[in-house]
Amino acid sequence: MGKLTVVGIGPGNYENMTVRADEALRACQVIVGYSVYVDLVRERYPDKEFFTTPMTKETDRCRMALERAREGASVAMVCSGDSGIYGMAGLLYQLRGEAEEPEIEVVPGLTAACSGAALLGAPLTHDFAVVSLSDRLTDWETIERRLTAAAEADLSLVLYNPASRARPDYLKRACGILLRVLPGDRPCGVARNIGRNGEGYELMDLSALENFDADMFCTVFVGNSQTRVIGGRLVTPRGYRDV
Amino acid sequence: MGKLTVVGIGPGNYENMTVRADEALRACQVIVGYSVYVDLVRERYPDKEFFTTPMTKETDRCRMALERAREGASVAMVCSGDSGIYGMAGLLYQLRGEAEEPEIEVVPGLTAACSGAALLGAPLTHDFAVVSLSDRLTDWETIERRLTAAAEADLSLVLYNPASRARPDYLKRACGILLRVLPGDRPCGVARNIGRNGEGYELMDLSALENFDADMFCTVFVGNSQTRVIGGRLVTPRGYRDV
């Protein structure tokens, strides 16, 4: 019996991988993943067997990884960002069910909330919520309810999957919902292509964010009532009284 | 003029640090931080100058780090977990204000939401909120409001700082608030001493969590309405329909 390691590779570049993720990829025999993520690691671990599936074939990909591990291979399933946060770890546990084998090890990685915030400044120094705007697996009413609740409770927000070719206007819709609760001048920011070619960020207020042309390589940050721009960075003070 | 790098070292062990964090600590001259965190890295980078302050002296610590960088030193400020999420990056930007120097670089690290979730299984595969139960810098009413909002919006929850010697009953109070909205059999979990000696986890329901004896080395996870225990792990399904 082999083993299945679910590896969060972080935003994409080697430097933002953990030592443990690197060791897991060096130690395995087979690397499985969505083709875009596998391409991020292919060059550094050239002696592996690679297996990729397209984006919407998550279940096939996970079944295959479990099957190869059952047959005796040491398999690493790579996930962009973290292996758990919107990653494949949950689906792998679901598909394994109550069986004890193959062994599954979850290796965490930097999720875009961490890596994107670091690029923008320090927008998540206080309580926050992470919400995906993709309604492929979640109905839009639930997303809307979560956005409203987070805004009303003065949580900073991180929006994953703010747009895609099939959903070009979802960030606009989300901002429209937030603007029912939050002021238009609420400081916000967008991190793009974190840890990859074209890495960058932009700061803007919530009114401008409503018309921002986001794509699937963007992670969006909406500040809480204390968030402000300091020295060109998006900063949410923690509340230290002696500053 | 030197430089100040704010380094998230992750949960504590070398394996869970990023390559970039390791490189930053190898490259710097001075390592500054809360004594407990500095002790986590002291042995691996023995040739550095170390400067530590006690837990509540965050502002002093940050002022000192900025001052050393202004004097020309290459300074690394270490933070447990991520450098931004409840970390020192925000306070450093606040204290630097609109000055352009010294340069501040934020190096993200694994926050306990990622590393703790990986230990427990996959509780954060869907939208979630992160809330600190410490009322040292936040009034309790705000914390209470955020817990209620997250529960009502069916967000999974990660609770940081669930207890300390001065606040032994805060997790109990938080669970009492959540139980006004959530059922007592809601699956939950606690990760303890992540990446350090004594690392472990426990799964329990929300009723049992109310009486759990947490300490400051615990991170607490409360599932959403879909979360369940599968094969001894806490798993929040993403919603794939072909499972």
Side-chain angles (χ1 to χ4, degrees):
Chain A
M1 181 70 66
K3 179 183 171 177
L4 179 51
T5 311
V6 200
V7 181
I9 61 169
N13 56 344
Y14 173 66
E15 288 69 26
N16 277 318
M17 277 177 62
T18 65
V19 171
R20 189 175 161 204
D22 178 44
E23 285 173 355
L25 293 182
R26 279 196 273 126
C28 73
Q29 298 166 307
V30 185
I31 293 180
V32 180
Y34 168 41
S35 46
V36 173
Y37 305 155
V38 167
D39 285 346
L40 291 170
V41 300
R42 198 184 283 270
E43 212 168 300
R44 183 167 288 270
Y45 311 94
D47 58 326
K48 309 298 174 183
E49 182 187 335
F50 292 96
F51 186 90
T52 66
T53 66
M55 189 159 58
T56 57
K57 295 292 179 187
E58 289 90 351
T59 308
D60 292 348
R61 193 189 308 155
C62 288
R63 283 190 208 280
M64 205 286 297
L66 286 164
E67 188 53 36
R68 290 301 306 272
R70 270 189 216 104
E71 289 166 7
S74 167
V75 180
M77 162 79 77
V78 292
C79 303
S80 167
D82 184 38
S83 44
I85 294 175
Y86 306 111
M88 290 294 108
L91 183 52
L92 287 163
Y93 278 121
Q94 275 185 275
L95 291 171
R96 191 184 66 169
E98 297 302 327
E100 288 176 8
E101 295 189 317
E103 182 189 343
I104 294 175
E105 182 185 357
V106 183
V107 174
L110 285 182
T111 186
C114 297
S115 56
L119 203 59
L120 290 165
L124 301 183
T125 305
H126 216 299
D127 307 331
F128 63 96
V130 175
V131 176
S132 166
L133 296 191
S134 168
D135 63 350
R136 187 161 75 88
L137 303 173
T138 310
D139 57 273
W140 179 259
E141 291 66 33
T142 299
I143 296 170
E144 187 160 334
R145 185 158 62 104
R146 289 172 177 170
L147 294 174
T148 302
E152 288 179 343
D154 198 26
L155 291 160
S156 301
L157 263 166
V158 190
L159 306 180
Y160 282 44
N161 306 309
S164 71
R165 263 166 295 194
R167 306 179 286 105
D169 64 331
Y170 276 35
L171 178 58
K172 191 182 190 67
R173 287 169 65 180
C175 289
I177 291 158
L178 294 174
L179 282 164
R180 291 179 205 156
V181 180
L182 304 179
D185 65 353
R186 174 62 55 89
C188 299
V190 179
R192 196 194 288 268
N193 294 313
I194 308 165
R196 307 185 194 176
N197 286 334
E199 179 182 88
Y201 71 93
E202 286 180 61
L203 306 187
M204 64 199 78
D205 66 17
L206 184 55
S207 298
L209 185 67
E210 192 178 21
N211 296 305
F212 181 80
D213 190 20
D215 61 29
M216 58 189 293
F217 303 106
C218 290
T219 307
V220 174
F221 293 76
V222 179
N224 74 9
S225 62
Q226 304 305 305
T227 303
R228 41 192 212 269
V229 176
I230 303 176
R233 299 286 173 154
L234 192 66
V235 178
T236 302
R238 179 83 188 272
Y240 296 103
R241 295 179 182 93
D242 51 350
V243 179
Chain B
M1 182 67 66
K3 179 183 171 176
L4 179 51
T5 311
V6 201
V7 181
I9 60 169
N13 54 344
Y14 172 67
E15 287 69 26
N16 277 317
M17 278 176 61
T18 64
V19 171
R20 189 175 161 203
D22 178 44
E23 284 172 355
L25 294 181
R26 279 195 273 126
C28 73
Q29 297 165 308
V30 186
I31 294 180
V32 180
Y34 168 41
S35 46
V36 172
Y37 305 156
V38 168
D39 285 347
L40 291 170
V41 299
R42 200 184 281 269
E43 211 168 300
R44 183 168 289 269
Y45 311 94
D47 58 325
K48 308 298 173 183
E49 181 187 336
F50 292 96
F51 186 89
T52 66
T53 66
M55 188 159 58
T56 58
K57 295 292 179 186
E58 289 88 352
T59 309
D60 292 348
R61 192 188 310 154
C62 287
R63 283 190 209 283
M64 205 286 296
L66 286 163
E67 189 51 36
R68 291 299 306 273
R70 270 189 216 102
E71 289 166 8
S74 168
V75 180
M77 162 79 78
V78 291
C79 303
S80 166
D82 184 38
S83 44
I85 295 176
Y86 307 111
M88 291 293 108
L91 183 52
L92 287 163
Y93 278 119
Q94 276 185 274
L95 292 171
R96 191 185 66 169
E98 297 302 326
E100 286 177 8
E101 295 191 315
E103 182 190 343
I104 295 176
E105 182 187 356
V106 184
V107 174
L110 285 182
T111 187
C114 297
S115 56
L119 203 57
L120 290 165
L124 302 183
T125 304
H126 216 298
D127 307 332
F128 64 96
V130 175
V131 176
S132 166
L133 296 190
S134 170
D135 63 351
R136 187 160 76 86
L137 304 172
T138 310
D139 57 272
W140 179 258
E141 291 66 33
T142 300
I143 297 170
E144 187 160 335
R145 186 159 60 106
R146 290 172 177 170
L147 293 174
T148 302
E152 287 178 345
D154 198 25
L155 291 159
S156 300
L157 264 165
V158 190
L159 305 179
Y160 282 44
N161 305 309
S164 71
R165 264 165 297 194
R167 306 179 286 102
D169 64 331
Y170 276 34
L171 179 58
K172 191 181 189 68
R173 286 169 65 182
C175 288
I177 291 157
L178 293 174
L179 282 165
R180 291 178 206 156
V181 180
L182 304 179
D185 64 354
R186 174 62 54 90
C188 298
V190 178
R192 194 194 289 269
N193 294 310
I194 307 165
R196 306 185 194 175
N197 286 334
E199 178 182 89
Y201 71 92
E202 286 180 61
L203 305 188
M204 65 199 78
D205 66 18
L206 184 55
S207 299
L209 185 66
E210 192 178 20
N211 295 305
F212 181 79
D213 189 20
D215 61 30
M216 57 189 294
F217 302 106
C218 290
T219 306
V220 173
F221 294 75
V222 179
N224 74 8
S225 62
Q226 303 306 306
T227 304
R228 42 191 213 269
V229 177
I230 303 176
R233 301 284 173 156
L234 193 66
V235 177
T236 302
R238 180 84 187 271
Y240 295 103
R241 293 180 183 95
D242 52 349
V243 179

